[in-house]
Amino acid sequence: MIKKSAGIALRRSPAMKVGASVRRRAAAGLASGRSTLVDSVLMPAAQGSAARVQYAAVLDGHTLNLRALLPAGVPVPGADASSASDAPDTSDASGADAAGADGDAPARAHVLFISGGTRIRAAARLHRERDGQTSVQATVLLGEDIGGVPVTLGRWTLGLELDSGSPAPVRLQLIGDGAPAYGGPTRPLDTCVRTGRRHRLGLTPAGRLRLTIAPAVARAEVLRVNRAFTGTSVLFAVYGPDAARDGAAPPVVELVEQQSRTVLRHTAEPLPADATAWRVTLPLGRLLDASARQTWSLRLVPGPRGGKPLEIGRHGHDLRSPRKVLTPPKFTVRAEDGTFVEVKPQYTRRGALQLVCTPRKSGTP
């Protein structure tokens, strides 16, 4: 109890806030230094064979959003390279597709995904900017099983390919990560909600943009928390390896009290029409100690293959602080001795579900 209280006090102390501020300043300094390295060293060393990444992110778990500026002197398909920087800007505010001087079809460009000897091309668009530069923009769905490009697990280096009209296309490196700074309540979601695969953008040692695709990891996601006067039932789904348990024994859920470390086990029941979804019913009225405040968490017992218990909660989200944003309503449960207990579902910083049970002082709900 003393150890837990000390931990809570430490997390809330001004010293920890100072530490968070220092970490933010350090991250900002690192990003600034990385940009300086890209613009001062890597781009000049590329000698016009690389495009500077302005923005790159996987926002919804499976869609790559990319914007890069072409280097000066690179022939732009469908446009005269010498006049591209001298001609007045004729595009609208949204940036029309770059076209030839005679109004021919938009220029053609592709994003290249390179892994070993494998090259995958995805369509991109060229835009003429107001300052005369040409940018490449692309929105690419990742994963053949969801209708996107057939990238597989592993590391993929990204590049550009321009159809110059000659037999050999113009190929450019993509240098710089272009990682945006997010200061709001959300962050980029790097895990695909449909496949569970994880997508992370980074840099190679040479500064080239790289996409790393990792396999899905097992997780237990809360679907709904049902309220009742005698307890609650939690609907959850299991994703990742061995998520569908056809013919296997139903999962067992452990209800763990945080202070006393009491562990109670309950078997989940399947939900119809979904092999990954389950319901566990918790008769809190019979389980609660109405004389003290209790905090219960839920986790799945490892299956026959072993592994660590899975915390049941909300993990597949883009929230920085799920505890502040995800706030299920409170409800009241009547214990066996007639005492009314207030149950407050909440989520930890890591997204794990907790049931905070507090006895009421009065005898009425």
Side-chain angles (χ1 to χ4, degrees), residues 99-113:
D102 297 328
D104 49 0
R108 289 177 293 177
H110 293 86
V111 178
L112 284 179
F113 296 82

Side-chain angles (χ1 to χ4, degrees), residues 255-280:
L255 192 62
V256 183
E257 209 288 310
Q258 297 299 302
Q259 296 182 3
S260 66
R261 307 308 299 175
T262 302
V263 178
L264 305 173
R265 290 192 171 192
H266 299 269
T267 301
E269 56 181 331
L271 293 179
D274 190 344
T276 65
W278 304 87
R279 176 195 291 111
V280 59

